[in-house]
Amino acid sequence: MEFGKACVVGAACLSFFLSGCGGGGGSSSDDGIDTPLPPTAPVIEGLIGIEANTRVDADTSDLLSFGGALLTEPQLLPASFILAGYVSYDSGVRNPDNPFDNYAEDPADRFQIPFVSGEQVSLVTFLDGSADSDVTLTLFDATGNELVSASTAAASDVFTASVALPPVQQDGEYQVEVSANPNPPSPIRYVLTKLPNAAASSVALDWPRHEFIPGKAIVSLSESDGDQVSALSQSSGKFERRLANSHWLMAMPDLRMASLASPERETLAWIEELRQHSGVASAVPDYRVSAHTPLDEPLYPEQWHYGLINAPTAWQLAANGGLGAVVAVLDTGLFRDSNGWHPDLADNVVNPLPAGTDFVSGDNNPQDPGNDIGSNVFHGTHVAGTVAASASNQIGGTGVAFNSEILPVRVLGEGGTGSSSDLIDAIVWIGGADSPKADVVNLSLGGLPEIELLQNAITSIVNNGVIVVAAAGNQTSSVRSYPAAAQSVFAVSGVDGAGNIATYSNFGPWVDLAAPGGDGLRDANLDGRADLVISTSASISSDGFFVPDYIGLQGTSMASPHVAGVFALMKSIKPDLDYGTLKAWLEAGALTDPVEGGRSDELGYGVINAAKAVMAAIDNPSITVLSASPSVVSLSSETNPTQVVDLQVFGGFPDTVTIESAIASPDWLDVSLVENPLSLTLMLNTDNLSPDIPARTTLTVNYTSDSARTLKLPVVAELVTDETSRNAGQHFILLVNTVPDENDFFQAEAQVVASAIDGEYQFGFRLDDGVEPKNLNEVSPGTYYLVGGTDLDNDGVICQPGEACAEYPVAGLREMVQVDESTDLTGIRMITGYSRPSISSASRDVLPRPGFEGYRLIDKVLPGNRDSKKVGVNP
């Protein structure tokens, strides 16, 4: 399985609610169209919320099939959006044997969009079937003059293109057109995005599968004697190498491997056979490990993320900057050219490096060679820069623990992927036979299921005093993702520039704390740029060679090294600091900004506060400073109109602090000072804010302690109206069979249709009353999945790439719903959107879910005729 760079849920990384019309409290009928429901009480009822900034093309094939018309004027879009749409050069029928499987003509879609210099629009297309068809994305000025265009290339089933506002153009309204080409005239689904000042969008729009090495498995034997190994070797494969005790890396028999027609499925089948063997305690794939892929790579040097964790105050308290602490970064390695390591890291790389730092190539050179697959983000270099980029060489930015040492360990190779067996070996190597090679280990990678051997390796080094920090993952899922979810590991979720959970970040009771991971979909700190974490990397120079550089990335990969850096600051002050002490301080609220109720699934025990954490490690501080918690305030009419800011005193003389009572603020913000406990209350005055236009200010708090000092508190605010404008398209909400058919489709047993009303969908199902005809919203007793989504290309299948999808309770982690006379599942809240989570398994006994093709609708309706005969309706 790939466990990834913790750098993007789509629908699951945001906490959205779906709802709309067409179900319990709404409507449905035998033809799936909005009509009154029977009077019986619903057995399943709820709302589906929509991701922020979500929009839908107003003339998709789905709408046209019910008598819609092509738009003649450009569709208006907001400044930031993610939109799904449909184009087709011609109309037609995919399957002549099915008169309901038709698609409509829609050769071009045009949109009017506000543009600011530096922004771009990105397009991803998904072809119907296996046809190849190019799509053109064109940018026009307000008068209709073409400025720039880009086309997809018919080389695979997924295509991308983007256009940017030329530098000579002024900020203002522009038009973008998505047009289909006639060769051939295929129906095409697409997703169009524009993110604030982000260079590109690479939101995950397809259902990922866990990647693993074909023909390999990690096998645990119930006994470790040689007879058992010999018996298995003869019957089921060969043992390549021993991992630990009774754990082995095993390979499929050569003859069977040579004849694989479907390596993924046949490897899984082989593993299932191994599990049935009497001598096998467990068998799992040799999952690929990868760095969690970032979305965006714009170059902005502003490191807002350090202010968010109160690092400047921590640096006053810990002026040595982590001197003496060693942080091992298990990742893709570090960028190096003929001049040596990246100049902002060179002074802090362990020298000399111990032998064996490259577990991918098996040598002593953990250099990141860059990727032939995908973009060259130099992931490990970026992570290392957040931990320990130099603060004294007058170049680039800085790291959290800028005087600590970095031990680069390469466990991820081409494309940012590696194997779980290499990761385990590297962790064991860090622990060392005599003494650990590092004080802190950062794992900005993940997506693995639970693996016993991995847990054993982590437990061993933690017992030896090593502190392990890992990225929670970017699937917007509550499913446990390992190694972050392993015992004795600090699992870190990601937040944006205002300290809110990022749109991509995983969450759950296994998350310990949060840190800045960035979010390309937001400018929560209102600095005019997307909330991306800036750190060390490399870029291609004009002569074609990679040179040191800095880029902005997002993801929990970026969040984890913030925490690792803070722990390094603490470790340099308190060398005996260990997991148990840190865990106790974390649970007591000594390391983070407080969370309502003590903790939450999104933020764990809160966002790391470097100043609080460093203070916990100091015995006798010599200065006294004032700090704000949270250190950046985000106010929103939608979610957070009021914020209480705790003013905390750090240092040896807390009774000496005196604060001026008058704090100047703009007319949209009311500020009051409370002396006991010391705090500020900030309240949004929406009467003085323009709708959907962010505002910002910096509050200045003058105070005296051991000397005259100033505390600055950034505040951002917005009067939000987008929530009522969100629309992901007409939704089919289904109860589907839990076993797919021979074509890997899950067939619907009950169905309602809902349209977005005020940014929500509403739905409901009734128990079958036994009276004919059976309505589509009526469901017979049984076990089902509850899902919803769009069918933009009218092929009778929802949740395909480029279409919205919701699954109960969380997209990517569907659970079976039992329906009978006692069922009462009302008040359900779900999430819909176009992005897709990675599906992680919480148990090593659960194998990946291959071959998912979507959910098939019950009925189809001929264009313009709602009374046509249905197909697939249950008798």
Side-chain angles (χ1 to χ4, degrees), residues 504-761:
Y504 52 79
S505 180
N506 284 353
F507 55 93
W510 50 279
V511 169
D512 293 295
L513 72 168
D519 196 327
L521 292 173
R522 300 175 181 168
D523 176 19
N525 57 4
L526 291 182
D527 63 356
R529 300 179 174 94
D531 293 345
L532 300 173
V533 173
I534 308 301
S535 188
T536 47
S537 185
S539 61
I540 297 178
S541 64
S542 58
D543 56 5
F545 294 97
F546 284 111
V547 295
D549 208 335
Y550 300 83
I551 65 173
L553 301 178
Q554 73 168 15
T556 57
S557 273
M558 286 59 256
S560 181
H562 284 84
V563 175
V566 172
F567 288 173
L569 291 176
M570 300 173 70
K571 190 78 172 180
S572 69
I573 297 168
K574 185 177 175 62
D576 62 345
L577 185 68
D578 59 11
Y579 170 80
T581 301
L582 278 172
K583 186 69 171 180
W585 285 349
L586 178 65
E587 293 175 350
L591 307 183
T592 59
D593 291 330
V595 173
E596 185 177 355
R599 79 168 308 282
S600 70
D601 284 354
E602 290 78 17
L603 305 181
Y605 289 96
V607 177
I608 187 73
N609 185 315
K612 290 180 67 176
V614 167
M615 273 300 301
I618 297 177
D619 291 331
N620 298 300
S622 59
I623 66 172
T624 301
V625 296
L626 191 66
S627 177
S629 178
S631 56
V632 176
V633 176
S634 177
L635 300 174
S636 167
S637 60
E638 181 182 13
T639 59
N640 189 37
T642 303
Q643 178 70 58
V644 175
V645 179
D646 294 328
L647 298 178
Q648 302 164 323
V649 180
F650 296 112
F653 310 97
D655 295 336
T656 64
V657 174
T658 303
I659 302 174
E660 293 184 5
S661 58
I663 301 173
S665 61
D667 59 3
W668 50 264
L669 182 64
D670 297 327
V671 181
S672 59
L673 175 66
V674 178
E675 295 187 356
N676 189 21
L678 194 60
S679 63
L680 297 174
T681 301
L682 279 60
M683 182 175 295
L684 192 61
N685 186 347
T686 57
D687 293 339
N688 295 320
L689 280 175
S690 300
D692 299 312
I693 299 177
R696 64 175 176 172
T697 190
T698 299
L699 297 181
T700 300
V701 180
N702 296 313
Y703 69 98
T704 58
S705 56
D706 55 299
S707 64
R709 297 181 182 274
T710 299
L711 170 68
K712 293 186 179 295
L713 179 65
V715 181
V716 297
E718 187 171 8
L719 175 60
V720 178
T721 61
D722 168 70
E723 69 270 28
T724 61
S725 302
R726 299 169 191 169
N727 190 347
Q730 181 174 248
H731 264 53
F732 296 87
I733 299 95
L734 315 175
L735 287 168
V736 301
N737 292 318
T738 58
V739 178
D741 62 16
E742 65 278 5
N743 297 315
D744 289 319
F745 290 106
F746 291 81
Q747 295 285 346
E749 292 294 321
Q751 173 176 308
V752 295
V753 178
S755 300
I757 298 179
D758 292 334
E760 292 183 327
Y761 302 93

Side-chain angles (χ1 to χ4, degrees), residues 293-319:
T293 306
L295 293 185
D296 309 289
E297 303 173 18
L299 302 177
Y300 297 114
E302 290 80 5
Q303 293 178 309
W304 54 268
H305 31 103
Y306 295 141
L308 184 63
I309 66 169
N310 212 2
T313 303
W315 295 331
Q316 295 179 62
L317 298 168

Side-chain angles (χ1 to χ4, degrees), residues 91 160 167 177 183 195 245 293 319 337 568 591 628 837 844 857:
S91 60
T160 61
E177 183 178 84
N183 298 314
L195 307 177
N245 298 325
T293 306
D337 59 13
L591 307 183
R844 59 181 177 272
L857 304 178

